[in-house]
Amino acid sequence: MKIGLNWLKDYIAFDYTVEELANSLTMVGLEVEDIQQGQSDFQDVVVGKVTRVEKHSSADTLSVCRVDIGKTILTVICGAPNVSENQLVPVAKLGAILSGGVRIESKSIRGVQSEGMICSERELGISDHHGGILVLDKKDYTVGELFSSQAAQNDSALNINVTPNRPDCLSHIGVAREVGVILGEAFSKPEVVVKESTESIDDCISIEILDSVGCPRYSARVVYDVTVGPSPAWLKHRLESVGVRSINNVVDVTNYVLMETGQPLHGFDNDLIQGQKIIVRKAKPGEIFTTLDGENRSLMSEDLLICDGERPVALAGVMGGLNSEVSDHTQRILLESAYFDPMTIRRTAKRLGMSTEASQRFERGTDPNNTINAVNRAAQLLSEIAGGKVMEGVVDVYPQPVQMWEVSLRPSRITKVLGTEIPRENVLEILHLLGLEIRGENPFLVTVPTFRPDLTREIDLIEEIVRHYGYEKIPAQLYSKMTLSYESNQEQNLTERMKDIFVGMGFLETMNNSMVSKEHISFITPNIPPVKVQNPLNPETVFLRTSLLGGLLDSVQWNKNHYENNLRLFEIGRIFRAKGKMLPDEVDSIAGVLTGSLRSKPFWGESERTIDFFHLKGALETFQEGLHIEGVEFKPERYDALKPETSMKIVCRNEQIGFMGEIRSEILEQWDIANQIFAFEIVLNDLNEKCPQMLKFRPIPRFPSIKRDLSVVVKKEIPIGSLKDLIQQVGGEHLVSVEIFDVYQGHQIPSGKKSVALSLTFLSLNRTLKEKEVDPVMSAVIKALETSYSASLRS
Amino acid sequence: MTASNVHTQVQVLEEEFTNALANVKNASELESLRIQYLGRKGCISKLFKNLEILPIEDRKPSGRDINHLKQKVQTALRESKTIITREEESKPFVDLTLPGNQWSIGRYHPVTTVLRQIKSAFERMGFLVVQGLEVETEYYNFEALNIPKGHPARDMHDTLFVGDEIVLRTHTSPVQVRIMESQPPPVRIISPGRCYRRDTPDATHSPVFHQVEGLCVDEGVTFADLKGVILTFAKNMLGSDVKIRFRPSFFPFTEPSAEYDFSCIICRGKGCKVCKGTGWVEISGAGMVNPEVYKYVDYDGEKVTGYAFGMGVERIAMLIYEVHDIRLFYENDVRFLYQF
């Protein structure tokens, strides 16, 4: 809502600068988003005095003018009939840019060079008036000064972000009331006096409300003998100062009253109203209505229509109709001033995407008891500036008048909510200046006027009081008496620990959009039912992610496109699985991708090493170790997204918790990625339970261990993991570790075979083991390997 | 042989040794010199052996002379050895200007870093961190927060729908309702998480963003307590000289409602581009829990009072790190991530 500073002064006097006023309003909850300083509208448009006017020698309609702009005198060609000597006029100099972006250039018109342009109101964006040049009042302007229109010159405006609970502040009077409370003074409303003629409105129009829920009140007046034409300067300037374009005196008056009182009005050309009546009814489904802007609107039965005896003439509360619009020839105006149900207007405006000055106010709730005052104000202005005569009487249909209500307010409750006491006199003054009446003492009985539909409870009044008392006067309480809490969020702590581990391993943490494209779903997790976004912003964000991998591939692609191919990325975030009409399953998941060279920066002392499957597996083993999780195994298992040869499931104590492997190239093609990508994903909810709650110390061995190396040759297809498992089975109680330190094929090894070197460590916790105790165990191990895997000992 | 003969011999030897030592060029020459003088068959050993043929009374002073020589030689050799070794050791050329063999270190996403700071600030004040759902019913996201269907306040949120009356939560506030439903007062929680709005991405809007919700409900909780908690939080994040400002505002689920600002962290309140010259930067909204909300969770709004607050994590990260475009947080450009 734009509030003109000068306009505001019509209702309350103040000496604030515009900045001070803006700050004061912001601090009572009327946030000033920006200040429009009253200043020159245009660069290079100056005030000039026409010193000589001569007919153009070769064009009758053109005049060659000499215009004094202070330091110089310009020759300007002018086509306007109203130009004459001694006028003060706005002159656009060469290079000036006018309303609509027109740039003034030096040009020769039929042999005479024009050094500028004398402007009309339209060229300056003041109004649509283009009948001639704008002639300025000599009182207000000086030759040579930068031209600015009267309104801009005198007036600054505040752009206030009015919160949805304050319909009353969508008007100058509403804001004036707030300024009054800030100043501790009452504001004054304009005096409305309507001189009525003897012609009665009742002979002219009748009103019938068929939907009194949608339209609880409809008031109207008729003004006749109106001369439609340009508005007087003061009115144009007023509207211009708050960003409303002047159209003609009738439309301007309705807009003026809207901005002044917050009550939207509509003026019909009464001669176009058929059957001398207005009927307010619901639209028929599919009914088509052409609004003022020329659009055909298809309506539904929830929409409210204003009709005459034969047809709809306005879409109630939103926009008038083309068929009854006020035109230059209009003589009789039917002024509508109604109260419409906020929900009804809101539904219609929202569905049709029509947010108008009127609909914005009706949908927040106008004052049902202000319709008469507003229509009278408009009638008064029309008779003053458009020569109108006001018919006697107001037609007012208001079957169930809305009464003011009473709210009780306990002074003790104010203190209880705020934590500080507000002096009684402040409370009373604030409520009084806000227009509320107070009776009683403890509690106060507060009568709320109908322009404040937001004040219905005690807490609403407390907010009003503290809002004006000043939030800054409430002390920040730094002492707190509170219930001690022993709880902490273990899951959250574990998640953070996981981040520590991956960051420690050199991974970068990423965050990707949770909304993904159709391709993300179909390529990575075709079997998980995804949650579909019904009103997505774009095709890239139509589903909720079922896996974090797609987002990570997006990140890989992004970085690849920016020439970074060596990446270790991870993310911890939520993934979703649809569950029919119920809320979807939401679980947190951790996923990572590895690609490119092992080092993010090359090292001169080493040749570059490319990340392979075992870096992936190693990262997960380190992760598992870092979390002290036991019993994690990796087992071959096919996944759609992974190459079959490296596709594995991650199992923890017989429960599947995730997957890992190299991503299939067909999938990478979708992301336009050519490099190998190794990836994993683990669902955290499954993992959290597997992490030990409490760690237990295991005594450090005090006795030396015995290490034995073993080198065997087996068929190359035999999984070394199985050899290791077998050794652990037969290795006896003292075998504490089996490490694989070499795997070799080639020279000296028969083809089709491989040599595996293992290191076995034996240890007893309570004595020194003897070599001869280990010997039989080693023999048993070798025997078992020979029997089960035809292994031969390599000498 | 007499003591004086020995004395002369010792003097000669000492002179010879001094000359020889001066000509030693490396460790092996030094070693031969050592053997020549101190070896088992070296000249000093020989001198000691010759003591046997001296008269008894000469043996003691001569022995002293020889011992004296031996000590001098030993000391001189030790000193030379240190010098020569040091010289020799420095000989192989190592280019110390080459970069080191780095260990790799990853990075936390800046949202994580800022979230950790926020969480730790509130945990120290006794708040418990809880998680909420990212997909919510309209009931929890709106109705139970006193935003009924058709309420103009719904316009403040451009909502993404995923089902009939199921939405992607537009704020973390549904957690307020869920936590109060699940337990009687007192409640003292914060809840961080992702939120979603149907906003076209630009420098200040992202359809996905993080918020932290805070809620404290107990007997005797006041607006002054809310200001105290926010002030303590501000100081924790930005230092003890930071100031806070509360401005009246409107949220359907709090009353009185406020927007809270911190004094600008860039210019320390003097006025700059970031704060648009006001000295204040807007952080987020807060207020006393609206009694309407208590009705939905069956709390006695006469008995307990409480406050709630929220904040945008990216917004705070943008202020702290002076990041000018929110979209950077979701592009995951490594040139961005490596900076934190």
Side-chain angles (χ1 to χ4, degrees), chain A residues 137-152:
Chain A
D137 196 325
K138 292 194 174 90
K139 293 202 304 282
D140 300 330
Y141 294 93
T142 325
V143 170
E145 70 178 356
L146 211 54
F147 168 79
S148 57
S149 59
Q150 186 87 33

Side-chain angles (χ1 to χ4, degrees), chain A residues 23 26-31 163-165 343 346 350 363-364 410 413 415-419 457-463 466-467 471-483 485 487-489 491-493 496-497 499-500 502-515 531-537 544-545 555 558-559 562 564 567-571 574 576 581-584 586 588 599-601 603-604 606, chain B residues 98-102 104-109 111-112 116 119 123 125-126 128-137 146 149-156 159-164 166 168 178 186 188 192 194 196 198-201 207-208 210 218 220-225 227-229 231-232 244-250 254-259 282 288 290-292 301-305 329-335 337-338:
Chain A
N23 187 53
T26 296
M27 293 310 285
V28 297
L30 294 173
E31 188 191 359
T163 53
N165 58 327
M343 286 285 268
R346 184 176 157 75
K350 203 163 177 179
E363 68 182 48
R364 284 168 173 76
R410 295 161 293 174
R413 189 72 190 173
T415 313
K416 193 170 176 190
V417 171
L418 301 179
R457 302 164 306 155
E458 188 177 44
I459 193 72
D460 300 326
L461 299 179
I462 294 175
E463 179 174 60
V466 67
R467 190 166 69 80
Y471 279 13
E472 73 281 0
K473 291 197 198 121
I474 309 290
Q477 176 63 260
L478 293 176
Y479 168 78
S480 164
K481 196 173 154 191
M482 66 182 210
T483 310
S485 160
E487 289 172 286
S488 78
N489 188 325
E491 253 172 57
Q492 179 96 21
N493 297 347
E496 296 307 316
R497 171 87 189 110
K499 289 183 185 174
D500 291 341
F502 272 96
V503 167
M505 286 193 286
F507 282 67
L508 294 177
E509 188 194 1
T510 63
M511 290 197 181
N512 287 285
N513 197 335
S514 318
M515 292 174 284
V531 178
K532 192 171 191 314
V533 180
Q534 294 181 339
N535 54 338
L537 209 55
L544 294 188
R545 56 187 181 182
S555 297
W558 174 279
N559 283 295
H562 295 86
E564 184 52 78
L567 300 166
R568 259 168 290 179
L569 309 175
F570 81 101
E571 177 170 8
R574 199 86 31 111
F576 306 83
K581 289 198 151 115
M582 309 215 294
L583 283 179
E586 290 186 23
D588 283 326
R599 294 173 177 281
S600 44
K601 292 179 213 167
F603 177 59
W604 54 270
E606 229 171 68
Chain B
L98 278 170
N101 191 353
Q102 278 194 18
S104 55
I105 181 87
R107 303 285 173 169
Y108 298 97
H109 194 280
V111 166
T112 289
R116 283 182 168 188
K119 283 192 281 195
E123 279 177 323
M125 290 188 267
L128 175 70
V129 181
V130 300
Q131 294 280 0
L133 293 173
E134 291 182 17
V135 182
E136 268 294 4
T137 59
N146 193 31
K149 269 214 171 69
H151 192 284
R154 284 209 185 183
D155 288 350
M156 291 157 86
T159 312
L160 286 156
F161 286 84
V162 296
D164 190 23
I166 300 181
L168 299 185
R178 288 203 177 261
R188 188 178 263 258
R194 286 192 180 201
Y196 304 85
R198 200 173 182 282
D199 283 335
T200 308
V208 182
H210 290 77
D218 202 346
V221 174
T222 68
F223 195 85
D225 292 322
K227 281 188 77 175
V229 162
L231 178 62
T232 308
I244 58 163
R245 179 173 85 164
F246 274 59
R247 286 179 285 117
S249 188
F250 169 73
T254 52
E255 189 156 2
S257 297
E259 298 264 3
E282 192 176 319
M288 299 303 289
N290 192 320
E292 290 305 305
E302 268 300 301
K303 207 170 148 206
V304 293
T305 45
F329 291 99
Y330 294 92
E331 280 167 359
N332 301 307
D333 192 309
V334 299
R335 294 166 297 179
L337 296 175
Y338 264 120

Side-chain angles (χ1 to χ4, degrees), chain B residues 261-265 267-272 275-281:
Chain B
D261 305 336
F262 290 172
S263 54
C264 180
I265 52 183
C267 63
R268 297 272 152 202
K270 287 187 206 79
C272 68
C275 61
K276 293 178 197 122
T278 62
W280 297 100
V281 287

Side-chain angles (χ1 to χ4, degrees), chain A residues 192-196 221 375-380 383 390-391:
Chain A
V192 180
V193 185
V194 184
K195 276 183 273 172
E196 294 178 330
R221 267 198 183 269
V375 80
N376 282 347
R377 175 75 166 143
Q380 173 196 16
S383 66
V390 184
M391 280 189 188

